[in-house]
Amino acid sequence: MKERMLVVVDVQNDFIDGSLGSKEAQAAMPRIMEKVAAFDGRIFVTQDTHFSDYLQTQEGANLPVPHCEKGTKGWELPGALDRLVREKGATFYEKVTFGSTDLASDLAERFAAGQIESVEFIGFCTDICVVSNALLLKAQAPELPLMVDASCCAGVTLEKHESALDVMASCQVAITR
């Protein structure tokens, strides 16, 4: 039987009200909670994962704001979301870069085995990690229907959020609002 899949991308404290938080991410949280609570299918969660050497990495040199250091409050999902996705049996992926090749490979394999109907993405940041994960999966499973719920995403800026949605739409990822 084919299932719908929901990928919750980097909905972590540092992107909501921490070092890289935004009012747009905070505003998206009630919609994210609603979507996850009502979702009838399998849930996958990615976590941006950095370590104490973050500022010495290429990403750290280009974005010198420590965030999502494993084991810190900023790395964690908000408590209510964490409890909800765990109750629903979510599969977690820690990733040290924008996209998770493990997630993309796992979902592409499930699609090839006839287990997936569609995949929907929500989360942060639309213009970095959401777009990276969606396009990685699109490259590995071009016939798999992919969607992004724009109302459950937030970008670094509103303009970059909209630009990322345009890029994904150009790559045949369906955008819902």
Side-chain angles (χ1 to χ4, degrees):
M1 181 168 135
K2 292 185 178 185
E3 288 185 280
R4 293 174 42 234
M5 309 288 176
L6 177 67
V7 179
V8 180
V9 178
D10 298 359
V11 181
Q12 295 163 266
N13 290 320
D14 270 347
F15 294 120
I16 300 164
D17 57 10
S19 60
L20 293 173
S22 71
K23 64 182 193 280
E24 292 83 10
Q26 292 167 24
M29 283 308 300
R31 295 185 296 273
I32 289 170
M33 291 298 296
E34 265 182 47
K35 178 161 293 268
V36 172
F39 190 75
D40 182 27
R42 292 204 39 147
I43 297 174
F44 298 83
V45 175
T46 67
Q47 285 182 277
D48 196 32
T49 302
H50 300 296
F51 303 94
S52 60
D53 67 343
Y54 172 75
L55 292 175
Q56 284 73 54
T57 67
Q58 182 177 357
E59 180 182 331
N62 289 299
L63 177 63
V65 179
H67 65 282
C68 298
E69 185 174 327
K70 187 171 181 169
T72 66
K73 181 177 176 7
W75 177 75
E76 296 171 357
L77 278 62
L81 178 63
D82 189 59
R83 286 187 295 278
L84 182 59
V85 295
R86 289 182 190 284
E87 286 170 9
K88 290 184 157 257
T91 302
F92 285 75
Y93 293 83
E94 293 178 12
K95 58 184 193 54
V96 297
T97 189
F98 309 129
S100 172
T101 54
D102 290 339
L103 170 69
S105 295
D106 289 352
L107 291 174
E109 287 172 16
R110 289 171 191 253
F111 179 65
Q115 300 170 358
I116 298 180
E117 177 183 316
S118 62
V119 177
E120 183 173 16
F121 291 87
I122 61 174
F124 311 133
C125 293
T126 318
D127 50 309
I128 301 173
C129 295
V130 174
V131 68
S132 294
N133 282 285
L135 295 182
L136 274 172
L137 181 53
K138 190 60 154 171
Q140 288 195 35
E143 296 301 315
L144 173 57
L146 301 183
M147 298 157 289
V148 170
D149 184 340
S151 73
C152 293
C153 294
V156 173
T157 66
L158 183 56
E159 295 78 18
K160 288 183 178 189
H161 167 78
E162 291 297 331
S163 293
L165 295 172
D166 288 345
V167 166
M168 289 185 281
S170 293
C171 294
Q172 302 177 0
V173 174
I175 307 300
T176 58
R177 295 188 184 264

